[in-house]
Amino acid sequence: MTDVSPDDTGGMGPLVARLNRGGQWLRHADRARPWVLDTAVVVLIAVMFCLPDVLPEGSGDDGPRKIRLTVTELPLAATLALQAGLVLPLLWRRRRPLTAFGVIAAVFLLQWSLNAALRADIALFVALYSLALHGRLRQLPWAGAVMAGAMVLVAVRVAESVSVWDALFFLLSTATAALALGLVIRFRRAQLAGLRERAARLEIERDQRSRLATATERARVAREMHDIVGHNLAVIVSLADAGAYAADAAPERGKEALNLIGDTGRQALGELRRVLGVLREATDTDDSPSGPLLSPQPGIADIDMLCAGVRAAGPEVVYRTVGDMDALDAGVQLAAYRIVQEALTNSLKHAGADTRVGLSILVEDGRLEILVQDTGPSGPAEPPNEEGHGLVGMRERAALYGGTVSAGPEAGGGWRVKVGLDLLSRDGDR
């Protein structure tokens, strides 16, 4: 394949560019003042085709005398009236193309019924072109029939000088060219308008997808922040209450509670850095130590540490698993971890430090089931009946895997949360 240089176009590149710019400028000007172009067309036709028929030297030109001898010379007033009837309707050729064509065709037929020939007859072809470009397509067959009849009349009138078939061929070819030109430009404009509409629609869809992705990411980050902050603050509050209670009776237990509070706070800060770090745009591509230290997303393997933190705050947590947990993908493990974290946090907040929590995770037959059940508070307090953001977040996470969440008080006291995730919903039928 050979490269084509700009010089191979024969120097037409700059000319084509200038013509394109000129065409764009004319289109913009026409949209702003459409009457200017309509008036310019009428003036141009009047100067080029009407004046030669009314000026004295127009009758003495070197035109085809044989044809001129077969037509009638009209008075100046009649000539001007016919020329006005042919040319002036072009002023509304774009707003009312059918009306303009009908008026011009009527004047054209009247003129040739008087056996008169005018150069302004070119207006009929301009009107047909405008009808094809701006009018309704179902009007074209009627306009074509009227045009064909008018051309037959002209061919018959000049039959003494020119063969009827030759005249018909020339006139109908000219009419067909005007009609085809209007249709080609019409279809081209429709195609460009469709492309512009499609580009605008794609741009709107792109913006909508971007806003939807942003909203989804915000919701995801909000869930992460709620789980991290809510759980760790609940643990810290329980440890602080226990440390304050043990400060006088057992100072060493108070010191242990303070150490646990520090560890929990550092863990919460680490998770916050990880979540907020993914929102921060990287300013360089090198592995600089100044960036946030990211750790992997928590999974089911980290639930042991989660349970240990809850045990340190007072509740007794019994945790067991059934099935192959390592075979679960990272998304499922993160969802399970956050659901367990939220459930344990609710037990710690509402059941207090004296409760006993049973936690079980079961993987079997393409489903993952999580059951968190506590024995309830030792005092009169009960879990709130109003559904908070925690249960909403659990349902949102479970819905990603076609899962369900059921939560409510137990008949014998306490609170139970049961979650089922469909592990096949993400991969389809296997």
Side-chain angles (χ1 to χ4, degrees):
M1 181 181 295
T2 58
D3 296 333
V4 179
S5 64
D7 296 336
D8 295 337
T9 61
M12 295 297 291
L15 176 61
V16 172
R18 285 195 293 270
L19 290 176
N20 287 334
R21 288 194 295 270
Q24 292 177 358
W25 180 83
L26 287 177
R27 285 193 293 272
H28 290 309
D30 184 44
R31 293 192 192 100
R33 297 178 179 85
W35 60 269
V36 174
L37 179 59
D38 296 335
T39 305
V41 170
V42 171
V43 171
L44 182 63
I45 292 178
V47 171
M48 294 183 61
F49 299 101
C50 294
L51 286 181
D53 284 335
V54 298
L55 293 177
E57 59 272 15
S59 61
D61 60 2
D62 297 328
R65 294 179 179 273
K66 189 174 182 181
I67 296 178
R68 286 186 168 275
L69 294 176
T70 63
V71 296
T72 302
E73 293 290 340
L74 297 176
L76 180 60
T79 300
L80 291 176
L82 290 174
Q83 288 179 342
L86 290 170
V87 176
L88 290 181
L90 294 178
L91 287 172
W92 61 82
R93 66 184 181 88
R94 292 193 288 182
R95 289 170 295 172
R96 299 287 188 273
L98 183 62
T99 303
F101 177 81
V103 172
I104 294 174
V107 175
F108 182 89
L109 292 173
L110 174 63
Q111 168 209 322
W112 279 98
S113 66
L114 298 174
N115 201 26
L118 296 175
R119 291 180 174 87
D121 291 340
I122 191 70
L124 183 62
F125 298 98
V126 177
L128 180 62
Y129 158 81
S130 300
L131 181 61
L133 179 59
H134 303 291
R136 298 178 180 178
L137 292 179
R138 65 171 179 267
Q139 299 169 348
L140 292 183
W142 298 100
V146 172
M147 193 73 179
M151 297 301 100
V152 170
L153 176 61
V154 175
V156 171
R157 287 298 188 183
V158 299
E160 297 181 4
S161 304
V162 182
S163 169
V164 173
W165 298 110
D166 291 342
L168 279 177
F169 175 78
F170 173 76
L171 294 172
L172 293 178
S173 297
T174 306
T176 303
L179 181 64
L181 180 62
L183 290 176
V184 167
I185 296 178
R186 181 193 187 109
F187 294 151
R188 178 60 176 170
R189 288 182 179 178
Q191 182 183 23
L192 292 177
L195 291 175
R196 285 193 293 268
E197 182 182 358
R198 183 172 182 271
R201 187 169 62 252
L202 290 176
E203 185 175 356
I204 293 174
E205 291 177 357
R206 181 199 63 190
D207 294 340
Q208 289 176 344
R209 286 195 299 268
S210 177
R211 288 193 293 269
L212 181 60
T214 301
T216 302
E217 182 64 16
R218 287 177 177 174
R220 186 191 69 80
V221 173
R223 287 195 302 266
E224 294 287 323
M225 296 288 291
H226 173 270
D227 293 340
I228 294 170
V229 175
H231 169 76
N232 288 287
L233 282 181
V235 173
I236 288 174
V237 170
S238 296
L239 288 173
D241 292 340
Y245 176 78
D248 297 329
E252 67 280 358
R253 296 296 302 274
K255 181 178 180 181
E256 181 182 355
L258 291 176
N259 291 331
L260 290 174
I261 289 175
D263 294 339
T264 305
R266 281 188 289 271
Q267 180 184 355
L269 286 176
E271 293 191 25
L272 287 176
R273 288 194 189 98
R274 173 181 53 76
V275 173
L276 298 179
V278 298
L279 302 178
R280 187 182 307 161
E281 295 182 356
T283 56
D284 49 17
T285 56
D286 59 347
D287 298 331
S288 59
S290 59
L293 297 178
L294 304 180
S295 60
Q297 292 273 37
I300 291 181
D302 299 298
I303 293 180
D304 285 322
M305 185 180 299
L306 182 66
C307 293
V310 175
R311 292 189 189 100
E316 178 185 355
V317 181
V318 179
Y319 171 46
R320 70 184 185 91
T321 60
V322 178
D324 187 4
M325 303 296 161
D326 296 333
L328 301 176
D329 62 57
V332 174
Q333 294 200 34
L334 176 62
Y337 179 90
R338 292 305 185 195
I339 290 172
V340 170
Q341 185 182 49
E342 180 62 32
L344 293 178
T345 301
N346 289 337
S347 296
L348 183 60
K349 290 194 310 184
H350 301 301
D354 297 332
T355 190
R356 183 177 185 273
V357 182
L359 167 61
S360 62
I361 301 178
L362 171 65
V363 177
E364 186 179 15
D365 297 333
R367 284 189 62 82
L368 184 145
E369 293 187 357
I370 302 172
L371 178 62
V372 182
Q373 183 175 359
D374 61 58
T375 58
S378 57
E382 295 181 358
N385 294 325
E386 181 180 346
E387 184 173 294
H389 295 289
L391 288 177
V392 174
M394 282 193 283
R395 289 196 172 96
E396 289 178 353
R397 291 185 184 276
L400 294 176
Y401 297 91
T404 58
V405 177
S406 62
E410 288 288 276
W415 190 267
R416 187 183 74 160
V417 175
K418 185 176 182 180
V419 180
L421 304 182
D422 186 1
L423 303 180
L424 301 179
S425 62
R426 304 282 286 193
D427 301 328
D429 296 332
R430 299 182 184 177

